[in-house]
Amino acid sequence: MASFALPVNEVFETIQGEGFHTGVPAIFVRLQGCDVGCSWCDTKHTWQVLDSDKVEPELIIGASGDTARWAHLTAVQLLEQFQTLYKAKHVVITGGEPCMYDLTELSNTLIEAGYSVQIETSGTYPVKVANKAWVTVSPKVEMKGGKVVIEQALHRANEIKHPVARERDLTNLKNLLAGMTKNLDVLVCLQPISQQQRATDLCIETCIENNWRLSLQTHKFIGIE
Ligand code: SF4
């Protein structure tokens, strides 16, 4: 079977700073492409997959940078690079919106080679990934792109990591959870946006009330990507 190539924006090794896997050394694979349209997005350069930005794979691996360039890489090519260049055994597939693509082959290849795999998605696309992959959904509700958070993504989630700036963000999350046709059995993490004190206080209070978990963007405190 021909190997399916994905548009990759950057690959780098760091420490996972957020959510359940906080503190775990990880190889991040950022895919190019997203039509969700979050106004605060800090990776807007990943939104479009333009032929004019396509480069050779050597320019992507290990060369992180906020540019719109991308390269097609197959699961096998990525695995070979991970085994050669990196020590981490946890791979985070992020974006952009990685679930615009079928991630089954990539996640299966990595898991079979001994890696654990985590997907970070907005929940607006069906999640196509290996059964053993950990899925983190950060539901993006009422964003400019007009996408809707879908139930399949929430039910596949192992973790819902919700960015919170104000009360309305919590209302959106509660409405989303209440609208499920089946009960969700999932870890919920609230994450204050940009470490704002008001947002942090709101998250602490709501986590205690609901027995949810607080997620801090620890990488921003220690100055790593
Ligand atoms: S889903 Fe992620 S990449 Fe897409 S616009 Fe929102 S924050 Fe940015």
Side-chain angles (χ1 to χ4, degrees):
M1 189 178 70
S3 205
F4 176 59
L6 292 163
V8 179
N9 171 265
E10 63 177 335
V11 178
F12 56 94
E13 189 176 44
T14 185
I15 297 275
Q16 170 60 285
E18 309 177 352
F20 179 80
H21 289 95
T22 295
V24 176
I27 303 162
F28 275 70
V29 179
R30 189 181 304 289
L31 299 186
Q32 188 77 8
C34 182
D35 58 0
V36 179
C38 307
S39 55
W40 71 82
C41 177
D42 57 4
T43 54
K44 286 185 175 153
H45 57 280
T46 65
W47 286 8
Q48 290 190 293
V49 189
L50 300 176
D51 282 344
S52 53
D53 291 324
K54 188 175 177 192
V55 297
E56 293 304 314
E58 307 80 73
L59 291 174
I60 293 295
I61 304 286
S64 84
D66 296 341
T67 77
R69 65 187 187 176
W70 60 274
H72 267 143
L73 280 146
T74 65
V76 171
Q77 285 174 313
L78 283 165
L79 176 61
E80 280 170 5
Q81 295 298 324
F82 297 171
Q83 289 173 329
T84 309
L85 297 174
Y86 303 127
K87 293 247 166 44
K89 286 290 177 188
H90 183 67
V91 178
V92 181
I93 304 171
T94 188
E97 174 39 73
C99 290
M100 289 173 82
Y101 308 102
D102 187 337
L103 304 172
T104 311
E105 183 186 345
L106 175 58
S107 50
N108 273 327
T109 302
L110 294 173
I111 289 168
E112 279 163 21
Y115 290 84
S116 55
V117 172
Q118 177 182 2
I119 312 297
E120 294 184 335
T121 173
S122 64
T124 57
Y125 280 86
V127 181
K128 295 176 192 155
V129 69
N131 288 339
K132 285 187 181 165
W134 178 274
V135 176
T136 301
V137 175
S138 289
K140 302 298 189 312
V141 181
E142 293 176 4
M143 296 302 151
K144 283 192 183 138
K147 310 283 302 176
V148 172
V149 176
I150 60 172
E151 197 155 338
Q152 184 270 355
L154 290 173
H155 280 292
R156 178 59 186 82
N158 300 94
E159 165 187 33
I160 292 177
K161 190 179 65 183
H162 194 58
V164 174
R166 58 184 82 81
E167 192 72 47
R168 196 179 70 208
D169 299 321
L170 292 169
T171 307
N172 284 342
L173 176 63
K174 286 175 183 168
N175 288 343
L176 199 61
L177 299 181
M180 294 291 100
T181 55
K182 286 188 289 179
N183 279 345
L184 275 185
D185 179 19
V186 67
L187 175 70
V188 177
C189 299
L190 298 183
Q191 185 163 286
I193 289 180
S194 303
Q195 297 80 52
Q196 295 158 8
Q197 192 57 52
R198 198 164 62 96
T200 305
D201 292 345
L202 193 55
C203 287
I204 291 171
E205 192 184 311
T206 312
C207 283
I208 291 172
E209 246 170 50
N210 295 277
N211 202 21
W212 291 345
R213 201 175 284 198
L214 183 70
S215 169
L216 299 176
Q217 294 180 294
T218 55
H219 51 294
K220 295 196 175 171
F221 290 95
I222 55 177
I224 58 171
E225 191 171 358

